[in-house]
Amino acid sequence: NIISNNSARRGGGMFINDGNINPRKNYFVNNIICNNTASVYGGGLYCDHIICVNNLITNNTANYGGGIYCTDGTLNIHNSVLWGNRANNQNNQLSIYGFDRVNFYNSVLEGGIDGIGSSSVVDYENMIETNPHFISPSQGAGYNYCGFNVNWALQAISPCIDGGTQREFYYDFEYPDYDIIDNDRVSM
């Protein structure tokens, strides 16, 4: 799925709420969320209690949480990239309010821990803080820049290539065999 060039007050690209229904089953998998704008919270994604796997969240804008704004519960991010998001007031990549815990696994986060606004417990394993080197990304952040006629594939020099994992973290979830652009998920 490509979710691009949208705008809203909360969740410019996607708004996911009421994750407490079954927080162990709320998977958000294999999406490109780019060039969206929220006038207040979560340029790319506004959510609670969610597990993000194999997502690219890039070049989104908001006042708070340019990439993601989350409230309540636990946020888990696996094999994903948060890069190039911009917030006017707080935390370019990720802003968290009232969360118990944030977990990053094998993911890229521009600015590292400093890219997160949170008083929550933050755990991470294999976090990459360097440029993912997309082939031809959009020219800027927000819905005024086209996120469709671009190439989000990784250049050969990208630190992300084979940086993910196929290790199963949760219950009955199995990682997809292919990444966002239909390449093999990870060379084993």
Side-chain angles (χ1 to χ4, degrees), residues 27-57:
Y27 295 102
F28 191 63
V29 181
N30 270 3
N31 299 286
I32 298 173
I33 304 171
C34 63
N35 295 99
N36 299 290
T37 298
S39 61
V40 183
Y41 302 112
L45 175 64
Y46 181 101
C47 62
D48 66 358
H49 249 311
I50 192 168
I51 302 167
C52 291
V53 180
N54 299 349
N55 292 291
L56 168 60
I57 301 172

Side-chain angles (χ1 to χ4, degrees), residues 37-133:
T37 298
S39 61
V40 183
Y41 302 112
L45 175 64
Y46 181 101
C47 62
D48 66 358
H49 249 311
I50 192 168
I51 302 167
C52 291
V53 180
N54 299 349
N55 292 291
L56 168 60
I57 301 172
T58 186
N59 288 0
N60 300 288
T61 61
N63 278 328
Y64 300 92
I68 301 175
Y69 186 91
C70 288
T71 62
D72 303 320
T74 299
L75 172 65
N76 292 285
I77 299 178
H78 301 266
N79 297 351
S80 295
V81 176
L82 279 85
W83 194 269
N85 300 293
R86 299 293 170 249
N88 296 327
N89 296 316
Q90 182 185 18
N91 308 101
N92 286 330
Q93 305 312 314
L94 174 62
S95 187
I96 301 162
Y97 178 80
F99 253 68
D100 300 328
R101 174 174 225 86
V102 180
N103 302 305
F104 283 91
Y105 301 101
N106 304 302
S107 293
V108 176
L109 180 65
E110 183 178 6
I113 296 299
D114 292 337
I116 303 172
S118 172
S119 59
S120 301
V121 174
V122 178
D123 285 334
Y124 58 92
E125 178 181 305
N126 193 25
M127 182 188 296
I128 299 171
E129 299 179 31
T130 57
N131 189 330
H133 295 284

